[in-house]
Amino acid sequence: ASHCWGYGEDDGPSSWHKGYPIAQGNRQSPVNIITAETMYDSSLSPLIVSYENYSSISISNNGCSVAVEYADAEQGPVIEGGPLGDAYRLKQFHFHWGHKDCQGSEHTVDGRTYASELHLVHWNASKYQTFREAVAAPDGLAVLGVFLETGKEHQGLTKITDALSMVKFKGSTADLKDFNPKCLLPRNLNYWTYPGSLTTPPLHESVTWIVFEEPIEVSKRQMEQFRMLLFSEEKEDEKFMENNFRPPQPLNGRKVCASYN
Ligand SMILES: NS(=O)(=O)c1c(F)c(F)c(-n2cc(CC3CCCCC3)nn2)c(F)c1F
Ligand SMILES: [Zn+2]
């Protein structure tokens, strides 16, 4: 079905429940991470990120974000360990950002918002046949969340930000080969984890969230390049793609676990 949801006044997060009742479910994302209430879980093993044989295919503007897609290959980039019982295969990564640098992330930390948040979406290819099947299963997805704050330019991100002008309009796609997303992870892999959902419709409660504590630094110019993207198609009147983030949702008794003490 074509998107009839968005981030505007009438079709934004507060009205998503009309088309997607799960929006008012009990394991929705994002959430505000209250660090004093997180639980150190010594049983959490280190996260294993095996992105060596990556094969990115393209970058595209899907009308709600900009995403880099990966080939669905057996030996593709995977993550395992940490809270995960299986190996999860990277499908795509995308971003959420604001109109200005003081807001834009989806998760917040003690109420603090960041300029942007990168999501690396993985699916449980050990247990399910396809992404479509996994996206609706309670242990189907694992998403790595990385906060972006403004500071010095991020060398690795320039390959992405310099390609954004090629996917300005909704529905546009461009080649983007051999991008290794490992360069987008922070140096320190301390993380928080909790059971949640997609943060966009269909809002399936199928995500094990793994949010890194340490943000990566990107330049103000790189953030500006995200803000020249459009929600709109070539023929429509211009609507700049910004504030494409869902606000924090109730924890409903969920515990956020920390991988570090
Ligand atoms: N912000 S998030 O929570 O990291 C996040 C995700 F994890 C996603 F998986 C998606 N997602 C949506 C679809 C369409 C599918 C089309 C087939 C039916 C299911 C949805 N593909 N990937 C997504 F858009 C998103 F924003
Ligand atoms: Zn996302």
Side-chain angles (χ1 to χ4, degrees):
S2 71
H3 278 175
C4 50
W5 60 272
Y7 293 94
E9 201 49 41
D10 316 328
D11 62 1
S14 54
S15 62
W16 290 352
H17 67 94
K18 286 179 252 174
Y20 306 90
I22 195 71
Q24 297 169 335
N26 58 19
R27 62 171 272 194
Q28 289 290 294
S29 293
V31 297
N32 177 38
I33 296 167
I34 301 167
T35 53
E37 293 174 10
T38 60
M39 297 249 294
Y40 169 56
D41 180 346
S42 55
S43 75
L44 280 174
S45 52
L47 194 66
I48 303 165
V49 180
S50 310
Y51 283 172
E52 290 64 38
N53 41 17
Y54 51 95
S55 53
S56 63
I57 304 171
S58 58
I59 184 166
S60 56
N61 175 335
N62 57 24
C64 47
S65 180
V66 59
V68 173
E69 287 86 19
Y70 282 77
D72 194 359
E74 281 297 309
Q75 71 296 346
V78 294
I79 56 172
E80 53 197 312
L84 305 174
D86 296 303
Y88 286 66
R89 185 184 301 165
L90 179 64
K91 168 114 173 68
Q92 53 106 318
F93 66 82
H94 63 272
F95 301 81
H96 304 263
W97 61 93
H99 167 63
K100 46 194 193 306
D101 296 343
C102 61
Q103 64 172 36
S105 65
E106 299 210 295
H107 290 89
T108 57
V109 182
D110 295 332
R112 178 196 170 161
T113 56
Y114 287 86
S116 175
E117 188 171 333
L118 157 65
H119 290 155
L120 295 129
V121 180
H122 307 73
W123 63 283
N124 189 340
S126 322
K127 194 170 171 185
Y128 302 103
Q129 300 306 312
T130 63
F131 172 78
R132 278 184 87 91
E133 191 188 340
V135 79
D139 59 352
L141 301 186
V143 182
L144 299 184
V146 182
F147 293 121
L148 278 63
E149 66 178 1
T150 49
K152 59 184 187 316
E153 181 175 82
H154 192 292
Q155 290 305 313
L157 189 65
T158 53
K159 191 170 177 198
I160 303 292
T161 46
D162 287 347
L164 297 178
S165 56
M166 296 194 292
V167 288
K168 185 179 162 91
F169 300 102
K170 171 180 175 183
S172 51
T173 293
D175 278 356
L176 193 104
K177 298 250 185 294
D178 303 332
F179 182 79
N180 185 341
K182 191 140 191 176
C183 69
L184 299 179
L185 301 184
R187 264 189 329 282
N188 183 322
L189 295 187
N190 283 348
Y191 63 85
W192 295 292
T193 183
Y194 76 97
S197 73
L198 302 191
T199 66
T200 67
L203 300 169
H204 291 307
E205 297 186 329
S206 58
V207 182
T208 298
W209 278 96
I210 297 170
V211 180
F212 294 112
E213 182 201 19
E214 183 181 276
I216 61 170
E217 269 189 54
V218 303
S219 65
K220 284 184 173 301
R221 180 177 172 277
Q222 287 178 305
M223 283 314 306
E224 283 305 329
Q225 290 175 288
F226 280 101
R227 298 188 189 104
M228 48 64 79
L229 292 169
L230 299 179
F231 280 126
S232 45
E233 293 175 359
E234 202 152 357
K235 307 261 178 312
E236 296 171 334
D237 53 348
E238 280 198 343
K239 277 188 298 176
F240 287 107
M241 186 178 276
E242 51 193 28
N243 294 330
N244 55 350
F245 59 89
R246 188 191 195 189
Q249 302 300 308
L251 266 176
N252 291 324
R254 286 175 285 175
K255 267 286 156 224
V256 179
C257 291
S259 69
Y260 64 99
N261 210 343

